[in-house]
Amino acid sequence: MNISLNWVGLKTIVRKEVVRVLRIWVQTIVPPAITMTLYFIIFGNLIGRRIGVMDGFDYMQYIAPGLIMMAVITNSYGNVVSSFFGAKFGRHVEEMLVSPLSNATIILGHVAGGVIRGLLVGSLVTLIALGFTSLKVEHPLITLSMVLLASVVFALAGFINAMFARKFDDISIIPTFVLTPLTYLGGVFYSISLLPEFWQKVSLANPILYMVNAFRYGILGTSDISIGNAYLLVLFFVVLLFSACMLLMNRGVGIRE
């Protein structure tokens, strides 16, 4: 494998993804920022006043890390699934397939684009959050590493969704019926300690719960779950989903039919 050639290919794909995000910033950056602002106003200001304190923190402070992570997750996923499916739909994915680029390079390039968009939106949401409440990062390394790993996981998941998708409707099914419910039930707006014991155990099957809580621990220093378990689970999903992407690319699922 020509390493220098693949390196050039990787940079080219990443550059294409970044230019795409910035060129249509009204669609990629502004909507999630507006949505998160509404969350802060409705859940933080209006509802938060009635709830008061959660785990020793003002409710606005408590939900801020979860809302930031939610923005990162949805935008990392959405960028990759729409970009790669667009490449399939426009038939220019074939240019990458016939080039000397390895499948790993194609995957990593699109995943990097998703991560960059996720982090851009996450940074913007963080700035918005600072307009509503104060946030002091207690564990910077945990905060940064978890947001990166979470964005990689969902960028890879978006890539898999794009490979199986045959029409535009197919790229909205998973976000609507799987990703959104898991996110809302992932401890973004509440501590699972408030739930009955049975539902606490059910919640532990939700991988987003671990990401949100580890990220919240990095910022606020509080978590409902073990940070070590969170890292093990997220790293497991990174390896699993990347392996699945490689398998699907090597078999040409959805792109050579």
Side-chain angles (χ1 to χ4, degrees):
M1 178 169 49
N2 191 322
I3 296 177
S4 61
L5 186 149
N6 276 277
W7 176 244
V8 171
L10 178 64
K11 290 192 294 183
T12 303
I13 295 173
V14 173
R15 181 178 179 277
K16 184 261 293 183
E17 291 297 301
V18 173
V19 169
R20 172 180 172 273
V21 169
L22 297 179
R23 180 177 296 167
I24 55 173
W25 60 272
V26 175
Q27 301 175 40
T28 57
I29 305 295
V30 174
I34 294 175
T35 301
M36 290 302 136
T37 301
L38 293 174
Y39 277 125
F40 280 114
I41 293 173
I42 296 171
F43 287 94
N45 266 349
L46 303 180
I47 298 177
R49 291 175 184 174
R50 296 180 177 272
I51 295 176
V53 176
M54 182 84 68
D55 275 6
F57 294 93
D58 177 81
Y59 188 66
M60 183 81 81
Q61 276 185 308
Y62 186 83
I63 67 172
L67 289 174
I68 295 169
M69 180 59 81
M70 184 166 71
V72 171
I73 286 173
T74 55
N75 283 276
S76 297
Y77 186 100
N79 191 78
V80 178
V81 70
S82 62
S83 176
F84 193 72
F85 178 75
K88 287 173 52 179
F89 185 80
R91 305 303 293 267
H92 55 269
V93 69
E94 297 170 0
E95 298 175 9
M96 289 186 285
L97 295 177
V98 299
S99 72
L101 294 179
S102 67
N103 287 336
T105 299
I106 297 172
I107 295 169
L108 291 175
H110 286 86
V111 168
V115 170
I116 291 171
R117 176 177 166 184
L119 295 181
L120 280 174
V121 174
S123 299
L124 182 56
V125 173
T126 301
L127 292 176
I128 294 171
L130 292 174
F132 290 92
T133 187
S134 60
L135 296 174
K136 180 182 178 183
V137 179
E138 296 288 340
H139 307 283
L141 185 59
I142 292 177
T143 302
L144 181 60
S145 60
M146 185 50 64
V147 75
L148 282 171
L149 287 171
S151 60
V152 168
V153 167
F154 283 94
L156 288 167
F159 193 91
I160 293 174
N161 187 176
M163 292 201 69
F164 281 107
R166 295 180 178 273
K167 54 185 183 296
F168 280 102
D169 289 343
D170 294 340
I171 68 176
S172 64
I173 293 175
I174 299 298
T176 301
F177 296 104
V178 179
L179 189 55
T180 299
L182 288 179
T183 302
Y184 280 99
L185 298 174
V188 173
F189 299 103
Y190 59 88
S191 168
I192 63 168
S193 61
L194 300 176
L195 301 175
E197 185 177 352
F198 172 77
W199 290 110
Q200 288 186 37
K201 293 179 180 178
V202 171
S203 296
L204 294 177
N206 183 353
I208 294 180
L209 175 74
Y210 295 82
M211 300 174 191
V212 169
N213 272 274
F215 187 66
R216 180 177 287 131
Y217 178 80
I219 295 178
L220 301 179
T222 184
S223 173
D224 293 328
I225 48 88
S226 165
I227 303 304
N229 289 343
Y231 273 100
L232 286 175
L233 183 74
V234 175
L235 289 171
F236 168 76
F237 272 106
V238 169
V239 174
L240 176 67
L241 293 177
F242 181 76
S243 300
C245 287
M246 285 294 295
L247 179 64
L248 293 172
M249 282 293 287
N250 290 337
R251 291 185 174 180
V253 175
I255 54 179
R256 292 175 181 163
E257 298 175 354

